[in-house]
Amino acid sequence: MSKLPPMPPRPAIPAAAYGLAGAIAVSQLIMRAQGDWRGVAIAFACVTAFVAVAGIVMARGRLCALGPVLIIVPFVGLLSCGAASLAAARTEACGSALGSSAVSSWSFELVSDMTHGASSWRGRARAVGPDGEHGFVWVSCPEEFGRGETLRAVGRYKANAADDWGRSSAGQGICGTVSLVRVTRHELAAGLYGELLKLRLAVIESFCPEGKETPAGALMAGLVCGYSVPLKELGLDDDFAVCGASHLIAVSGSHLALVSSLLARAIKRTRLGKVARLVVLILATGVFVVFCGSPLSAVRSWLMSMAAGASELAGRRGHPLSAMSVMGCLIVLLDPSSTGQMGFLLSLLCVGGICLFGKYAEHQVMCLTSVDQPVLRAPEWARPHVRRIKNYMFQSVATSIVCQLASAPVCLPAFGKLSLIAPIANIALGALFSPLLGAGVIAAGCSLLPFGDFALSPATVLGSVFIQVIHLFAGVPLACVSVDCDATVCWAVFVACATLLLVFWPKARRRALLGFLSAIVVAMFVYLVHWRYFVPASICVMDVGQADAVLVRDGASSLMVDAGVDSAVATALARNHVLHLDAIVLTHLDDDHVGGLDDLVGVLGCDQVYVAKGVKKNIPSDLSVAIRKLTGKEATEISFGQALSIGAFRARAVWPEEPVQGDENADSVVLKVSYERAQGRLTALLTGDAESDQLEQVISSGAVGDIDFLKVGHHGSAASITEQEASVLLPEVAVASAGENNRYKHPRQECIDAVESAGALFLCTKDVGDVTVSPGLNGPQVKCTKRTLTTE
């Protein structure tokens, strides 16, 4: 056994770190309050003033060692309260001005790269009005424009709604969305900034020539230029997310540290003095930050490097956590909207986590794997290299785990995904990262020279290897799992665990660690086996907003009918502990029935995707790619009368009778689902978006009669079912899937009246959440997630 290094000491937390946490919380609460921000700001100002006075009294009377903290934190809180109030007032004023004037009289300067959505390009822009009003908006337009371009256009403005997206936008200082119908003029920024943006565009073009994008080139554009659009267009961002390596394609502190190191080595060879070298290094890295689009994580790292350089010149030892906290407070006070930007928060959490727990985690990993036999067996000359490799592996695993846990309160509620392969993947990817970024920076520097293509070759080779490694790890079963958790609960658990760890700071004991990990493995094994192979028979209409996703399960078998519209379907599957799908039936090709399919890639396995007869040739290319990535094969057509078995359930296609295109509600696959066993029986009709005209023909054919459970067609529209049809079907339970505050006002009262006239219990997912219907001896059993409702 090798001798472990001494236990790292418990880290000291500077008062500035508490101040930063308070400033972020205050800024977000004020800015997300939207129209009520004044009351929130006044309440916080009063509370922080009271705490500050109490802190002064305690510090003067030496009643509490936390006196200085109780002074600094409220002081920073008051400053951030004022800054956030000004930002909220500016956002409100900008929204009012935009709402009362013509969009064509405003100019919009893009401050971010645009991303491609379902039908348009979207980016963040600074809006400037005819009378000097200014603020930030989302800009949506049919074509892509680059960062730094100023647009004038004809369009329309829509203020933020009072929903999650609206509050999130308000938290970023964005007052609403401007949809540009026609751009009348666009121009790139002038001066040095404009020239730097032109250089960035030229470098991106050298990496990703238009129409000739390659995975390696897209990777280099993301690594060196912070431009991730090609990666998303090629679908590579999913693999990075599965491997927990998305931070590698978002320019941040690690990129800046490597570039700074390369520049420092080059500058050291000059005859410049110490101060001159530091100034040149800071200016050069500042240019790199602007070149990459000035992401806040990189700006934070650049400011920290300035602070570290100043400490070095002053002959003082730097303290990374203090520097990060001070610079973070400075950014928050200057730009309160930064607290709503995920990249900035993740950067702070990861750096703070590494500063507090990085050495401790590394020590625990070393304790767990404290066997030095490989080193002892190696030749004398190789032992230092073997130890260096071991230390690198320990550090990579520890850093990856710390960053994942530190960023969990933000990532898990936002993305609903947890990468299990990340600690291992980051060992291999971290080893390739430095040479790849170095080769990319050199290639970018040589891109405009005659031998630029030659300089690009090493980066292309390394990039291809990097992509293959990403694909390898992303293909591992259960590399990433979906999770469903509330943000408040996540933060509460995170703060509690971090506090307990800092207070007790337990020593590393190999036996205790092995026991703890063994308990986790056993618990995970029991969880996986139960939810993979022993699930009770049920049909669940999942709450996925204004969309459809119905889950049919029995034992080890599972079928999902429709895939929602977005990532809400992955969250819903995680909420229902789904680890694998035998098949997915897409009733038709509307986006609210197929849009979430891409979000399942890399999260769970699926064997087959079914569509109606005649639809396969009409599947859009992006959906075809998602199907292939999810199942490894093309979609299969299901014909009228064909049945699928899901454990003891049998799902038979009773509509459409003839081949269809798949782009109309009338083309929807309708499934009659039957279950009959000793423990109960259940007959259900799952209708997709089919309405009363199709339902009438299904009933007339004799394929369906009296049923127990009806999934109402087309989200409960007025034309979904008639009283006469309901009287034939006689469902005991009818469920509509609709989103809260949807613009169609689904479910409509006509639908509700029709099914209730037949004696059915009517439920809607927007009111009661997931609705699970199970077989019963005396009728269907019903359970809901948002309302206590159990009936038989």
Side-chain angles (χ1 to χ4, degrees):
M1 298 287 291
S2 61
K3 185 178 179 181
L4 286 174
M7 179 84 169
R10 182 187 286 106
I13 304 178
Y18 295 108
L20 175 60
I24 292 173
V26 169
S27 297
Q28 277 302 286
L29 286 169
I30 291 174
M31 297 186 70
R32 282 175 173 258
Q34 295 176 300
D36 302 325
W37 64 268
R38 292 174 180 83
V40 176
I42 292 172
F44 267 108
C46 294
V47 171
T48 50
F50 173 79
V51 175
V53 172
I56 293 172
V57 173
M58 289 180 180
R60 291 188 65 182
R62 298 183 178 180
L63 298 176
C64 179
L66 293 177
V69 174
L70 294 178
I71 296 173
I72 293 175
V73 173
F75 176 71
V76 175
L78 282 171
L79 291 177
S80 61
C81 188
S85 298
L86 291 174
R90 183 173 61 247
T91 301
E92 187 177 70
C94 179
S96 298
L98 265 169
S100 59
S101 60
V103 168
S104 57
S105 64
W106 289 65
S107 64
F108 305 95
E109 180 191 355
L110 289 167
V111 294
S112 71
D113 291 318
M114 302 190 83
T115 57
H116 193 224
S119 59
S120 63
W121 290 85
R122 175 186 290 269
R124 190 169 186 259
R126 183 174 183 267
V128 180
D131 297 324
E133 313 96 321
H134 63 90
F136 291 97
V137 296
W138 294 118
V139 165
S140 175
C141 59
E143 56 183 315
E144 181 186 14
F145 293 93
R147 182 196 300 267
E149 288 195 77
T150 299
L151 313 178
R152 284 191 173 272
V154 176
R156 55 186 178 274
Y157 167 73
K158 183 179 180 181
N160 291 327
D163 54 15
D164 290 342
W165 172 255
R167 285 186 287 271
S168 174
S169 297
Q172 300 176 58
I174 295 172
C175 61
T177 300
V178 175
S179 300
L180 304 183
V181 178
R182 179 170 57 88
V183 175
T184 57
R185 192 176 71 185
H186 63 95
E187 54 189 6
L188 196 61
L192 181 61
Y193 179 56
E195 294 301 319
L196 199 57
L197 290 177
K198 289 180 183 178
L199 175 62
R200 180 176 186 257
L201 291 173
V203 172
I204 291 172
E205 179 64 23
S206 70
F207 286 142
C208 297
E210 188 173 357
K212 300 180 181 179
E213 295 88 351
T214 63
L219 175 62
M220 297 314 304
L223 283 175
V224 179
C225 307
Y227 183 70
S228 58
V229 172
L231 279 168
K232 294 178 180 178
E233 292 289 326
L234 294 173
L236 296 172
D237 56 324
D238 290 330
D239 288 344
F240 277 86
V242 169
C243 295
S246 297
H247 61 285
L248 296 179
I249 52 175
V251 174
S252 59
S254 56
H255 296 70
L256 190 64
L258 181 57
V259 172
S260 179
S261 176
L262 294 173
L263 290 172
R265 292 180 184 179
I267 295 172
K268 195 173 182 180
R269 298 178 179 274
T270 66
R271 296 182 179 181
L272 296 174
K274 190 175 183 179
V275 176
R277 289 202 302 269
L278 180 61
V279 170
V280 171
L281 182 62
I282 289 174
L283 289 175
T285 50
V287 169
F288 175 72
V289 170
V290 176
F291 174 82
C292 295
S294 303
L296 281 173
S297 55
V299 172
R300 186 270 313 156
S301 180
W302 182 66
L303 291 174
M304 283 183 63
S305 68
M306 289 180 61
S311 299
E312 183 182 349
L313 291 177
R316 299 186 62 181
R317 185 178 179 182
H319 190 260
L321 186 57
S322 296
M324 183 207 73
S325 301
V326 171
M327 294 306 169
C329 286
L330 180 63
I331 292 174
V332 171
L333 294 177
L334 292 176
D335 181 15
S337 66
S338 62
T339 58
Q341 298 183 37
M342 188 173 293
F344 179 61
L345 294 178
L346 293 179
S347 173
L348 293 179
L349 286 170
C350 289
V351 173
I354 292 171
C355 290
L356 290 173
F357 304 112
K359 291 296 182 183
Y360 180 81
E362 188 175 345
H363 186 79
Q364 298 288 341
V365 173
M366 292 178 68
C367 173
L368 191 63
T369 58
S370 57
V371 179
D372 214 24
Q373 294 303 316
V375 176
L376 296 176
R377 291 173 184 169
E380 187 68 31
W381 61 269
R383 290 180 186 178
H385 303 289
V386 174
R387 286 196 176 93
R388 193 176 298 115
I389 292 173
K390 282 186 62 181
N391 290 336
Y392 164 74
M393 293 175 65
F394 292 153
Q395 187 176 16
S396 296
V397 171
T399 301
S400 177
I401 292 174
V402 167
C403 288
Q404 269 198 293
L405 294 177
S407 60
V410 173
C411 288
L412 294 186
F415 302 119
K417 294 180 181 179
L418 175 65
S419 174
L420 302 181
I421 201 72
I424 300 173
N426 276 281
I427 295 176
L429 298 175
L432 292 170
F433 174 72
S434 295
L436 177 60
L437 181 57
V441 170
I442 293 172
C446 299
S447 61
L448 303 181
L449 300 176
F451 53 88
D453 291 341
F454 177 78
L456 183 60
S457 298
T460 301
V461 173
L462 287 171
S464 299
V465 173
F466 196 93
I467 293 294
Q468 291 303 315
V469 174
I470 282 283
H471 286 326
L472 178 66
F473 283 111
V476 175
L478 289 178
C480 179
V481 295
S482 289
V483 293
D484 178 37
C485 54
D486 180 74
T488 303
V489 174
C490 270
W491 276 109
V493 172
F494 171 74
V495 172
C497 292
T499 302
L500 290 173
L501 184 56
L502 286 169
V503 170
F504 293 101
W505 207 244
K507 291 183 179 180
R509 292 182 175 86
R510 192 163 185 265
R511 185 173 297 177
L513 281 172
L514 287 173
F516 177 69
L517 292 176
S518 298
I520 291 178
V521 170
V522 170
M524 289 183 63
F525 177 77
V526 172
Y527 171 86
L528 293 173
V529 170
H530 172 72
W531 289 108
R532 178 65 179 88
Y533 297 104
F534 299 99
V535 182
S538 66
I539 301 176
C540 178
V541 182
M542 297 186 291
D543 181 12
V544 291
Q546 187 66 17
D548 262 22
V550 182
L551 181 65
V552 182
R553 287 193 292 180
D554 182 29
S557 301
S558 57
L559 167 75
M560 186 168 70
V561 182
D562 288 324
V565 68
D566 53 24
S567 60
V569 70
T571 303
L573 288 170
R575 186 166 62 242
N576 287 279
H577 314 286
V578 179
L579 305 172
H580 179 270
L581 290 170
D582 292 302
I584 297 174
V585 175
L586 302 178
T587 59
H588 62 304
L589 299 180
D590 281 0
D591 195 50
D592 59 333
H593 293 253
V594 303
L597 199 69
D598 192 51
D599 293 282
L600 303 181
V601 175
V603 174
L604 50 73
C606 179
D607 298 333
Q608 187 64 62
V609 171
Y610 291 96
V611 294
K613 186 74 172 179
V615 172
K616 185 175 179 179
K617 63 180 181 296
N618 299 317
I619 296 176
S621 58
D622 56 342
L623 181 58
S624 292
V625 171
I627 292 172
R628 285 196 299 271
K629 289 172 69 174
L630 183 64
T631 65
K633 52 187 147 182
E634 302 290 338
T636 299
E637 293 186 339
I638 182 172
S639 304
F640 174 75
Q642 186 176 344
L644 303 174
S645 295
I646 312 99
F649 280 107
R650 190 169 178 81
R652 183 180 298 277
V654 294
W655 184 266
E657 297 179 353
E658 302 293 336
V660 292
Q661 298 291 314
D663 51 4
E664 300 288 343
N665 290 341
D667 297 343
S668 290
V669 174
V670 177
L671 295 173
K672 179 185 178 183
V673 182
S674 304
Y675 178 95
E676 189 165 359
R677 285 292 185 270
Q679 61 268 35
R681 60 178 298 278
L682 180 68
T683 305
L685 192 65
L686 310 180
T687 57
D689 269 357
E691 295 184 326
S692 60
D693 289 344
Q694 294 76 51
L695 199 55
E696 181 183 7
Q697 296 182 62
V698 170
I699 293 173
S700 299
S701 69
V704 179
D706 186 358
I707 62 174
D708 302 308
F709 167 49
L710 171 67
K711 203 294 292 182
V712 178
H714 198 197
H715 316 289
S717 70
S720 60
I721 189 172
T722 64
E723 289 188 9
Q724 182 180 0
E725 291 162 353
S727 65
V728 174
L729 295 174
L730 288 174
E732 295 185 42
V733 181
V735 180
S737 178
E740 190 174 355
N741 298 321
N742 67 83
R743 61 186 175 128
Y744 309 102
K745 298 183 179 179
H746 291 159
R748 301 299 293 265
Q749 192 61 43
E750 296 91 328
C751 169
I752 299 173
D753 292 341
V755 295
E756 288 185 342
S757 68
L761 169 67
F762 181 85
L763 300 169
C764 184
T765 56
K766 72 182 181 67
D767 301 317
V768 299
D770 295 345
V771 181
T772 302
V773 182
S774 305
L777 293 174
N778 300 313
Q781 299 178 344
V782 184
K783 293 183 180 180
C784 308
T785 56
K786 288 185 182 178
R787 183 188 298 175
T788 303
L789 175 66
T790 302
T791 182
E792 183 172 353

